[in-house]
């Protein structure tokens, strides 16, 4: 069991209503789960909780059997760097650095050697159709290309858990397909020797993503 929520409840403040009402779910390694539900149901919030950026009001998040939702800030940051990739809806990239530098940054935080991270960064950009943009600055690429850069960045450290918030929003069908394949593909040379594949969780309204997913969690 890679990632699970147990009796999960969350409120932004006491006057707001509970978003999940004691939700239980186990996310299966090697599978893609689409989180669906109408606007405001808490799809993004659930990703932030799974990504250890928000703490549940009640209930637990378990990663590899460990109760991670209640660990210290330092431990949660370490877990995030080592295990969790996140594709945000509005990824802000440093305008002064190249696309390749933006992509490899989380790999360097996770302890990858620069040469190793750069090689993998180039591979990821290639698989997402962006090899020719590696030396460009973020201001020189389109919205759909920026979305794919955010995807490459989330994958650089080969996380066992990948959380993505509407990663195909600006993409045509061919690019949406390559994003979904990249997100769900685990490299053979996983530096931690982890098996069983990546746990991928995608918050989405996109029927193409819902169709691609192995499982759907409707909020
Ligand atoms: N920082 C915040 N403080 C207070 N309330 C918030 C905050 N962020 C989100 N909310 C509220 O929590 C609820 C869930 O928001 P969330 O963004 O998780 O929903 P969503 O299902 O992802 O929506 P969408 O499909 O529109 O992106 C909404 O009612 C939203 O207004």
């Amino acid at each position: 069991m890679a990632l699970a929520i147990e009796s999960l409840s969350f409120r932004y403040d006491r006057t707001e209503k509970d978003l999940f009402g004691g939700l239980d779910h186990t996310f299966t390694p090697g599978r893609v789960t689409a989180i669906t539900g109408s606007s405001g149901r808490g799809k993004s919030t659930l990703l932030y909780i799974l990504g250890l950026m928000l703490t549940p009001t009640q209930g637990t998040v378990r990663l590899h059997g460990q109760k991670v939702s209640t660990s210290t800030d330092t431990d949660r940051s370490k877990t995030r760097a080592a295990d969790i990739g996140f594709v945000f809806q509005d990824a802000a990239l440093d305008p002064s650095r190249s696309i390749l530098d933006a992509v490899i940054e989380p790999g360097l935080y996770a302890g990858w050697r620069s040469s190793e991270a750069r090689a993998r960064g180039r591979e990821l950009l290639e698989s997402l159709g962006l090899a020719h943009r590696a030396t460009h600055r973020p201001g020189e690429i389109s919205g759909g290309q920026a979305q794919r850069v955010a995807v490459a960045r989330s994958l650089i450290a080969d996380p066992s858990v990948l959380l993505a918030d509407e990663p195909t929003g600006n993409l045509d069908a061919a690019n949406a397909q390559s994003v979904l394949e990249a997100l769900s593909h685990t490299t053979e040379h996983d530096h931690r020797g982890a098996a069983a594949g990546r746990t991928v969780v995608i918050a989405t309204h996109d029927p193409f993503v819902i169709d691609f997913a192995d499982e759907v969690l409707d909020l």
Side-chain angles (χ1 to χ4, degrees), residues 100-140:
L100 182 61
D101 283 343
V103 167
I104 68 170
E105 190 181 37
L108 302 180
Y109 280 129
W112 286 54
R113 282 200 310 272
S114 173
S115 56
E116 201 180 24
R118 294 185 90 75
R120 177 156 164 73
R122 285 185 190 284
E123 264 174 41
L124 282 167
L125 286 174
E126 168 100 46
S127 73
L128 290 162
L130 289 173
H132 61 303
R133 293 284 177 252
T135 58
H136 286 234
R137 310 281 142 188
E140 298 166 349

Side-chain angles (χ1 to χ4, degrees), residues 12 16 19 37-46 89 166 205:
Y12 278 100
E16 297 279 336
L19 283 174
S38 52
S39 176
R41 290 301 294 234
K43 299 180 294 298
S44 301
T45 304
L46 181 55
Q89 244 170 1
E166 292 284 5
H205 294 284

Side-chain angles (χ1 to χ4, degrees), residues 24-48:
D24 292 299
H25 190 80
T26 298
F27 297 90
T28 314
R31 311 199 78 177
V32 175
T33 302
I35 300 180
T36 60
S38 52
S39 176
R41 290 301 294 234
K43 299 180 294 298
S44 301
T45 304
L46 181 55
L47 289 186
Y48 288 125

